[in-house]
Amino acid sequence: MIKISVVISTFNPNMQRLNQTLVGLKNQTFIIYNWELLIIDNNSDNPFTDRIDISWHPNGKITKEPKAGLTYARLKGFQESQGNLIIMVDDDNILSTDYLANAYSIFENDSKLGAIGGKSLPLFDFEPPSWLKNFYGNLALRDLGEEIIIEKWQNCYPESAPIGAGMVIKKSTLGNYIDKVTNKKSIIKDRTGKSLSSGGDNDIILEILKAGLKVGYFPSLTLKHIIPLERTTKTYLGRLNKDSTRSWIVLLNEHKINPWYKISRWSVPLRKIKAWFIYRPWSNESNFIRFCGACGLYDALSELKSNKK
């Protein structure tokens, strides 16, 4: 009986990192016959399926999703999954050996949970610069301590809500989200190709909360997130901060919890000039990345169709 479905959505994966992810899954203590492994190839340019070995898993499968975009790859995984629980694993995540077992136990003890997550800790193969910690959140890194935190809908987005990396979802709670995507009711766009847009994880969480279920942070769920050098440059993080800030405003506005008002398009250049002198992006990496985030904010607010507060 399949109880858990592990879904890995990937596009042109780094083979070394993907194989580390698979080794982490191979070492799980949860009975292997009680979970399945679904790898979704999201229209990769260079075929990789012949270069990975999942023959060790009796319920392992590689499926192609030709429609480009993380949203559609995840949707494919949701639709093909057989387990009552779905665990979203990125192709650069290494789960602790008891991750699946702990996730299953947590849901068994609380039927009102819709989604949970835990710690996402960095794994570097280089010495990271000290300023990088300011942007761990942008890199899907998080450690909220050793206390369990459980939250319900309070007309805002909870700070302790699960992040996409390692998120565990009760499949029965995904109905509203799947309906939005399949019927093109959602305007939230996840990463597609070189775009660093995001928001799909948060969209799932908000739909679960608004359905009356709870979400939680559980420190017993721990994974290592492999961070390569190229994702720590100010250029990459600046683009990431700009795109993710823009996506965040779109998400909050769609769910009518946006605390900001729409601004005029003509004011955007003036606001960016002012931000240039406030943030002094030429002075250091952190200021440059924050300036990029401010630009993403102004772009998003100018593009809103209405004020949804």
Side-chain angles (χ1 to χ4, degrees):
M1 180 180 178
I2 304 298
K3 299 178 179 178
I4 296 176
S5 298
V6 174
V7 177
I8 302 176
S9 302
T10 187
F11 168 74
N12 290 344
N14 176 285
M15 296 310 299
Q16 181 179 0
R17 295 197 286 267
L18 177 56
N19 281 317
Q20 286 179 272
T21 297
L22 293 175
V23 169
L25 290 168
K26 187 176 182 179
N27 292 332
Q28 290 298 304
T29 60
F30 198 66
I31 298 174
I32 197 168
Y33 294 99
N34 286 347
W35 64 281
E36 65 177 345
L37 172 61
L38 303 176
I39 300 177
I40 313 300
D41 176 8
N42 190 204
N43 201 29
S44 295
D45 298 327
N46 46 348
F48 66 91
T49 55
D50 293 337
R51 291 181 285 157
I52 59 172
D53 178 20
I54 59 170
S55 62
W56 52 271
H57 203 301
N59 303 310
K61 182 171 68 171
I62 301 174
T63 301
K64 290 184 179 292
E65 171 49 58
K67 194 167 186 178
L70 178 58
T71 297
Y72 302 107
R74 284 178 171 171
L75 182 62
K76 183 80 166 184
F78 295 161
Q79 292 171 333
E80 296 207 358
S81 62
Q82 301 179 60
N84 294 324
L85 299 179
I86 297 173
I87 302 183
M88 298 196 302
V89 180
D90 292 343
D91 58 14
D92 53 8
N93 295 163
I94 304 174
L95 303 189
S96 59
T97 57
D98 56 0
Y99 202 99
L100 270 62
N102 287 341
Y104 184 78
S105 177
I106 290 167
F107 274 95
E108 284 289 285
N109 291 324
D110 191 340
S111 62
K112 295 298 184 180
L113 285 171
I116 61 175
K119 297 181 181 182
S120 176
L121 306 177
L123 181 60
F124 300 108
D125 59 4
F126 61 95
E127 184 64 32
S130 58
W131 57 262
L132 188 62
K133 288 187 176 181
N134 297 324
F135 305 100
Y136 271 13
N138 297 86
L139 292 169
L141 298 171
R142 184 179 67 167
D143 183 353
L144 299 181
E146 302 306 318
E147 297 294 325
I148 294 173
I149 307 172
I150 297 177
E151 303 199 59
K152 59 183 179 180
W153 177 241
Q154 295 182 357
N155 207 42
C156 64
Y157 196 87
E159 293 184 6
S160 61
I163 59 176
M167 186 191 297
V168 190
I169 309 167
K170 186 183 294 184
K171 185 177 180 179
S172 60
T173 68
L174 284 169
N176 289 344
Y177 175 76
I178 292 175
D179 177 70
K180 283 173 58 176
V181 176
T182 54
N183 292 300
K184 299 181 180 180
K185 299 176 183 176
S186 177
I187 60 174
I188 307 303
K189 303 297 182 183
D190 259 319
R191 298 190 181 193
T192 305
K194 295 182 179 180
S195 169
L196 296 180
S197 297
S198 59
D201 313 333
N202 314 107
D203 199 16
I204 291 171
I205 290 298
L206 286 170
E207 290 296 342
I208 289 173
L209 285 168
K210 289 162 74 173
L213 294 164
K214 300 180 294 184
V215 300
Y217 165 83
F218 291 82
S220 62
L221 300 175
T222 303
L223 63 83
K224 293 290 183 66
H225 188 175
I226 305 169
I227 307 295
L229 180 62
E230 60 267 23
R231 291 184 188 170
T232 63
T233 65
K234 75 171 189 177
T235 301
Y236 175 84
L237 286 170
R239 190 161 62 93
L240 177 62
N241 199 24
K242 181 178 180 179
D243 288 356
S244 59
T245 300
R246 196 170 186 168
S247 303
W248 181 243
I249 300 301
V250 173
L251 171 84
L252 297 181
N253 209 61
E254 181 173 299
H255 286 274
K256 300 183 180 181
I257 54 173
N258 174 27
W260 293 280
Y261 286 102
K262 175 180 172 61
I263 62 175
S264 302
R265 289 180 184 270
W266 63 263
S267 72
V268 172
L270 297 177
R271 292 173 188 270
K272 289 182 178 180
I273 291 172
K274 183 178 180 180
W276 176 264
F277 291 102
I278 292 174
Y279 288 100
R280 298 169 55 86
W282 65 87
S283 60
N284 58 58
E285 291 86 348
S286 293
N287 287 352
F288 174 83
I289 297 165
R290 292 190 178 102
F291 168 73
C292 291
C295 291
L297 173 67
Y298 300 142
D299 288 339
L301 294 180
S302 70
E303 294 165 0
L304 296 180
K305 293 183 178 179
S306 62
N307 287 314
K308 296 183 179 180
K309 285 194 68 177

